[in-house]
Amino acid sequence: MELFKLSIIPTVDVKSASQEAKNYLKSFEDWNLIYSRRKISNLANPIEHQQAKYELVERRTVVSAVNQIDPSSAIILECRFIKKYSTQKTIEQLARHDITITVGNFYHRQRKALLLAYEFMPKSHTKIVK
């Protein structure tokens, strides 16, 4: 498959890039809590609510962009970092899509998925446009 021969050259080292992508995607849960707070209480800050909505959409957009290049990487990102699934449950989800990955190969594929996500993450110079 030619799609897997993309050149992924992060602006930082590979370990830092994958860790940054992991932290970015893991923060989905925090933003989801902030977003949900507005639904529970009218006292929640509406600006904070809008920011949380934006952050949730951004993270979903990153996973969608990865899905266009490599669906298995998108499944890994969605299951591990958005849904907080275990490694085994993520492998089971991949199997449901006829994608077979061993536990030993899983972490290599997860790092690849995180590097792909890093390429689509908004950088510090990205501006929010309403």
Side-chain angles (χ1 to χ4, degrees):
M1 296 182 101
E2 292 299 316
L3 293 176
F4 295 115
K5 293 185 179 182
L6 292 174
S7 175
I8 302 171
I9 305 171
T11 56
V12 293
D13 64 284
V14 172
K15 186 175 181 179
S16 297
S18 63
Q19 187 62 46
E20 192 175 327
K22 183 188 283 189
N23 292 339
Y24 177 78
L25 292 169
K26 279 183 154 183
S27 68
F28 182 89
E29 184 177 21
D30 297 333
W31 287 112
N32 198 28
L33 289 171
I34 292 168
Y35 181 74
S36 298
R37 188 181 312 149
R38 177 75 174 170
K39 293 178 182 176
I40 297 168
S41 169
N42 289 334
L43 301 175
N45 184 343
I47 294 170
E48 189 178 66
H49 179 76
Q50 283 298 99
Q51 176 67 28
K53 182 178 179 180
Y54 168 80
E55 295 292 342
L56 291 172
V57 169
E58 274 299 314
R59 281 151 182 78
R60 292 275 186 202
T61 303
V62 168
V63 174
S64 295
V66 170
N67 189 43
Q68 297 297 315
I69 295 170
D70 182 13
S72 63
S73 289
I75 293 168
I76 291 170
L77 295 173
E78 177 77 23
C79 291
R80 288 289 287 152
F81 305 110
I82 303 294
K83 294 180 178 176
K84 306 286 187 194
Y85 286 178
S86 67
T87 300
Q88 188 58 44
K89 191 166 182 178
T90 302
I91 291 171
E92 290 169 9
Q93 291 296 317
L94 288 163
R96 287 186 182 166
H97 290 88
D98 298 322
I99 301 167
T100 306
I101 295 177
T102 63
V103 175
N105 190 28
F106 178 80
Y107 293 103
H108 168 73
R109 294 291 300 271
Q110 181 175 292
R111 173 159 287 179
K112 177 187 166 206
L114 287 167
L115 290 174
L116 281 170
Y118 180 82
E119 290 302 309
F120 293 106
M121 285 172 36
K123 305 300 184 245
S124 60
H125 61 275
T126 305
K127 295 182 181 179
I128 298 174
V129 178
K130 291 187 180 183

